[in-house]
Amino acid sequence: MMVNVTFFLQESDDSNDPMSIDDIACHLSALHYQNKARVVVLCKDQSHAERIDELMWQLPVHRFVPHNLSGEGPTNGTPVEICWQEPRNLTGKALINLTETLPIDGSRCRSIADFVPNDDELKPLARTRYKQYREAGFQLDTKPAASIIESNHG
């Protein structure tokens, strides 16, 4: 099965726009959970993972997403696992990549979400990941990040 990688483009550079990539990742996690998919949110480091954990708790009550930081929570985990080290098992899960590199085990995922930030210093890193995914044989797509928020307000 070919893994589909969707790059979400953050178009707004408006500092008043409350939707950061981290916020969008939380809403995307809620959509995956709503569709009964297990999700791994791969963060840059532990403090980033803890920030994502806090943002998940701030989702509206009707969008609650059972989640835990890697190594915490029930034995079998929760539908959404937030980690900062290479996940142990990505098989069949949706991966939300918030790092600046490619996940090692990405070929075992159900799907991968990645992001192109509206930041001139970070865009080249996203372009590099895009090329690496393509070279690895992944199916690629791009969508505006705002499409996550729009589809999550139903």
Side-chain angles (χ1 to χ4, degrees):
M1 180 175 91
M2 184 173 295
V3 177
N4 187 47
V5 178
T6 303
F7 270 85
F8 292 96
L9 310 171
Q10 184 185 33
E11 291 122 350
S12 175
D13 60 356
D14 180 359
S15 59
N16 295 324
D17 184 355
M19 297 314 279
S20 70
I21 286 176
D22 291 351
D23 291 315
I24 293 163
C26 291
H27 284 277
L28 183 57
S29 296
L31 278 175
H32 281 301
Y33 173 65
Q34 180 182 335
N35 292 324
K36 312 254 185 285
R38 293 186 73 81
V39 181
V40 173
V41 181
L42 184 56
C43 299
K44 297 171 187 133
D45 54 34
Q46 185 173 352
S47 69
H48 186 215
E50 290 167 352
R51 189 167 67 244
I52 295 294
D53 178 53
E54 281 301 311
L55 287 171
M56 290 268 188
W57 286 112
Q58 294 172 24
L59 287 171
V61 173
H62 68 283
R63 289 285 180 215
F64 174 74
V65 177
H67 65 281
N68 64 273
L69 290 167
S70 183
E72 296 180 359
T75 306
N76 293 329
T78 54
V80 176
E81 178 184 5
I82 305 165
C83 60
W84 58 94
Q85 296 148 335
E86 193 67 34
R88 287 183 299 252
N89 181 9
L90 288 173
T91 304
K93 296 179 182 174
L95 174 69
I96 299 174
N97 185 21
L98 297 176
T99 71
E100 296 172 355
T101 60
L102 245 59
I104 294 169
D105 202 16
S107 64
R108 302 182 73 155
C109 295
R110 174 180 175 175
S111 65
I112 299 174
D114 208 313
F115 299 87
V116 179
N118 194 3
D119 178 318
D120 290 337
E121 291 180 24
L122 297 176
K123 279 182 186 177
L125 296 171
R127 287 187 193 110
T128 299
R129 287 194 309 280
Y130 187 95
K131 288 176 192 170
Q132 291 170 328
Y133 284 122
R134 186 176 59 213
E135 289 166 5
F138 292 104
Q139 179 72 37
L140 295 162
D141 193 12
T142 57
K143 294 182 178 178
S147 67
I148 297 294
I149 307 308
E150 291 162 8
S151 59
N152 209 12
H153 282 298

